[in-house]
Amino acid sequence: MKQKTQTKFQPRGSVVAALDLGTHKIACFIAQVVDDEGGLEVVGVGYQAAQGIKNGVVVDIDVADKAIRNTVHTAENMAAEIMKGYPLRDVVINVPGLQAQSHNFSADIQISGQEITDLDIRRALARAQEQVLTNDRELIHTIPVSHSIDGNAGILDPRGMTGDKLEVNIHVVTGDLSSLQNMATCIERSHLDIVALASSPYAAGLASLVEDEMDLGCTVIDMGAGMTSFAVFQSGQMIYSDSVPVGGWHVTNDIACGLTCSYADAERIKTLYGSAIVSSSDDSELIDVPRLGENGSDGEHSVSRSLLIGIIQPRLEEIFELVKAKLDESGLGQNLGRRVVLTGGASQLPAMRDLAQQILDKQVRLGRPIRLNGLPDAVSGPAFSTTSGLLNYVATRSHEMPAEIMESADSGSFFEKFKRWWKENW
Ligand SMILES: Nc1ncnc2c1ncn2[C@@H]1O[C@H](COP(=O)(O)OP(=O)(O)OP(=O)(O)O)[C@@H](O)[C@H]1O
Ligand SMILES: [Mg+2]
């Protein structure tokens, strides 16, 4: 069912910015809100190879800080006219799938015959947040998935109805607090403020799924460098997310080991000649592979394309089998829907759709960002779905932010305590 708690769109004319800290690349997009429903026009972009960050964890703060500043400056310069010379300050950042955890709860609120208001729904959401609050997890998303009144399920919008008990099924996503704090420290050094966090697969889905897919049930799989994360959408909402710690980096690494070449050569060979499935013609095609540590054509040897793809395919099969096992374990059953959308930089090998279809047994399509106007061609591919979706998230779904929910729920002693805790931690 569609979420009906009050949607808050960023006001027309406001500027929003996203910083996507990936394992392979760092990207910053700046956009302006151009209508009253969170529509966005991109006004600045910057991206470069990731440095100092691995799987969303800061491993070298000086190097990461420098890379973030460079990326942000490039986007700022492009957006200078819209920004009127002011530096970028507020950014939404991604929480990598590996650090996020998905929890489903049901929360009851006594209504006692009164009309149900938005505040009642927010109380239920706040109660779900209370259940997951621990010292080592940070709240990222709180999403109402379905409502029932006095046991009658399937209610689209309970506001304005009456009953004794409102039950809300809620999807909460939390992130690893210490990794997020390190990331926040690094970002603050770059003179930026984090105004929102969004989980990577959620952002990838918001960017690349069409509305019917989100409504009817669809899984988006974001194939990054260090991990493959995925989110299930149903009735317009994200109802589940998870990840596996294997991605395009592992494929490249397998090639470097298997063909005894450098990582850089393996990356180039993968992109130029790789495929997800071996075909009979691949036996006759030869590829020159530079030997490790040797220069010039003397240091090259030839291998068949089928040997290369024979290295790639098992790793990709492993990724889809791990994803399938997690989806099977999720207990979502029919709610998973029949469709899968593949996105992320590592989804770009030829025949990837066919391989995914064989293993996942779903209808599969390739996805890229579709909800931003003015996205330059260089950053309009699947590697930038998460970056794009961070902007869509902050422009249209800020009502799902845990702090926002706490602000608008009632102020029992727990909530006051939580708000203090939130402020002290951030
Ligand atoms: N044309 C291509 N064909 C195959 N793989 C590609 C291609 N272009 C990029 N990749 C792979 O995509 C991966 C990078 O994807 P992406 O930019 O989505 O990762 P990331 O967001 O930085 O990482 P993560 O989300 O895991 O932190 C790399 O492993 C790279 O080898
Ligand atoms: Mg990514």
Side-chain angles (χ1 to χ4, degrees):
M1 121 195 6
K2 281 219 166 155
Q3 188 217 324
K4 296 283 179 178
T5 32
Q6 252 155 21
T7 305
K8 275 196 181 170
F9 297 119
Q10 294 294 325
R12 186 194 285 248
S14 54
V15 171
V16 292
L19 187 60
D20 176 3
L21 303 163
T23 305
H24 188 72
K25 52 111 189 26
I26 298 179
C28 174
F29 287 1
I30 305 174
Q32 190 166 36
V33 181
V34 288
D35 59 28
D36 296 326
E37 295 186 340
L40 293 167
E41 175 86 26
V42 175
V43 293
V45 300
Y47 61 99
Q48 70 155 73
Q51 284 169 347
I53 294 168
K54 204 168 173 206
N55 290 340
V57 176
V58 179
V59 289
D60 185 330
I61 195 160
D62 291 328
V63 173
D65 176 26
K66 193 160 168 243
I68 291 171
R69 281 174 201 245
N70 282 341
T71 310
V72 169
H73 281 164
T74 310
E76 264 172 352
N77 286 341
M78 194 170 150
E81 204 178 308
I82 299 290
M83 310 266 303
K84 300 186 175 72
Y86 286 104
L88 181 64
R89 189 102 213 162
D90 295 344
V91 288
V92 50
I93 67 159
N94 63 314
V95 179
L98 281 180
Q99 287 168 27
Q101 267 176 20
S102 166
H103 318 254
N104 282 304
F105 291 104
S106 152
D108 294 344
I109 291 285
Q110 287 306 322
I111 307 298
S112 314
Q114 302 291 309
E115 248 187 42
I116 296 167
T117 64
D118 207 46
L119 184 63
D120 294 315
I121 299 170
R122 298 206 157 255
R123 279 203 196 109
L125 300 180
R127 193 154 294 166
Q129 293 188 170
E130 181 185 338
Q131 291 182 53
V132 284
L133 201 58
T134 59
N135 289 337
D136 58 350
R137 308 290 308 164
E138 178 61 279
L139 291 161
I140 312 292
H141 302 291
T142 307
I143 304 171
V145 174
S146 61
H147 308 92
S148 58
I149 300 173
D150 298 339
N152 296 315
I155 292 169
L156 275 176
D157 184 357
R159 284 175 299 157
M161 297 183 179
T162 51
D164 287 324
K165 193 176 79 174
L166 167 70
E167 191 182 337
V168 188
N169 290 319
I170 301 159
H171 181 207
V172 180
V173 179
T174 61
D176 177 67
L177 185 60
S178 72
S179 309
L180 284 168
Q181 279 170 333
N182 284 335
M183 189 62 79
T185 308
C186 181
I187 286 170
E188 275 160 19
R189 272 175 57 154
S190 309
H191 305 292
L192 297 167
D193 287 333
I194 301 170
V195 291
L197 303 165
S199 97
S200 294
Y202 187 29
L206 292 178
S208 63
L209 300 189
V210 299
E211 274 193 22
D212 277 354
E213 286 169 332
M214 286 195 205
D215 282 344
L216 297 172
C218 183
T219 302
V220 61
I221 304 183
D222 179 24
M223 306 183 73
M227 69 200 89
T228 299
S229 7
F230 48 99
V232 180
F233 286 72
Q234 172 65 254
S235 307
Q237 297 304 329
M238 174 172 71
I239 59 168
Y240 176 79
S241 60
D242 207 338
S243 64
V244 296
V246 199
W249 182 90
H250 300 83
V251 176
T252 307
N253 198 51
D254 289 346
I255 298 170
C257 295
L259 302 184
T260 353
C261 63
S262 69
Y263 186 86
D265 284 326
E267 183 76 22
R268 181 179 56 80
I269 289 167
K270 173 176 89 168
T271 310
L272 288 179
Y273 309 107
S275 173
I277 298 180
V278 185
S279 76
S280 51
S281 64
D282 295 326
D283 276 341
S284 51
E285 201 178 324
L286 291 180
I287 300 166
D288 291 333
V289 180
R291 283 185 214 277
L292 200 56
E294 295 188 42
N295 292 321
S297 54
D298 287 354
E300 282 185 351
H301 63 129
S302 292
V303 299
S304 68
R305 188 164 179 232
S306 56
L307 180 75
L308 168 70
I309 302 173
I311 296 172
I312 296 173
Q313 187 171 341
R315 185 59 98 167
L316 295 176
E317 284 170 353
E318 181 201 12
I319 293 177
F320 290 127
E321 266 153 18
L322 287 169
V323 170
K324 184 172 192 308
K326 291 220 170 188
L327 287 173
D328 289 347
E329 278 166 24
S330 70
L332 287 170
Q334 295 289 323
N335 283 333
L336 283 172
R338 292 284 315 137
R339 284 183 75 82
V340 165
V341 171
L342 297 181
T343 194
S347 70
Q348 297 176 92
L349 284 178
M352 190 67 94
R353 198 177 73 95
D354 301 318
L355 186 70
Q357 206 146 305
Q358 277 172 25
I359 297 175
L360 300 171
D361 192 24
K362 303 265 183 205
Q363 293 164 22
V364 181
R365 75 167 178 91
L366 302 177
R368 55 176 59 230
I370 53 168
R371 285 211 172 72
L372 294 181
N373 296 314
L375 200 57
D377 283 351
V379 291
S380 64
F384 295 92
S385 291
T386 295
T387 327
S388 303
L390 292 173
L391 291 180
N392 298 127
Y393 174 72
V394 80
T396 62
R397 302 222 175 197
S398 62
H399 52 272
E400 290 169 9
M401 290 176 197
E404 178 88 15
I405 288 162
M406 285 302 174
E407 281 294 322
S408 50
D410 63 0
S411 52
S413 62
F414 167 79
F415 300 119
E416 289 303 327
K417 236 165 55 191
F418 175 83
K419 276 192 267 181
R420 270 205 306 281
W421 176 86
W422 176 273
K423 283 198 179 112
E424 278 159 16
N425 277 278
W426 284 88

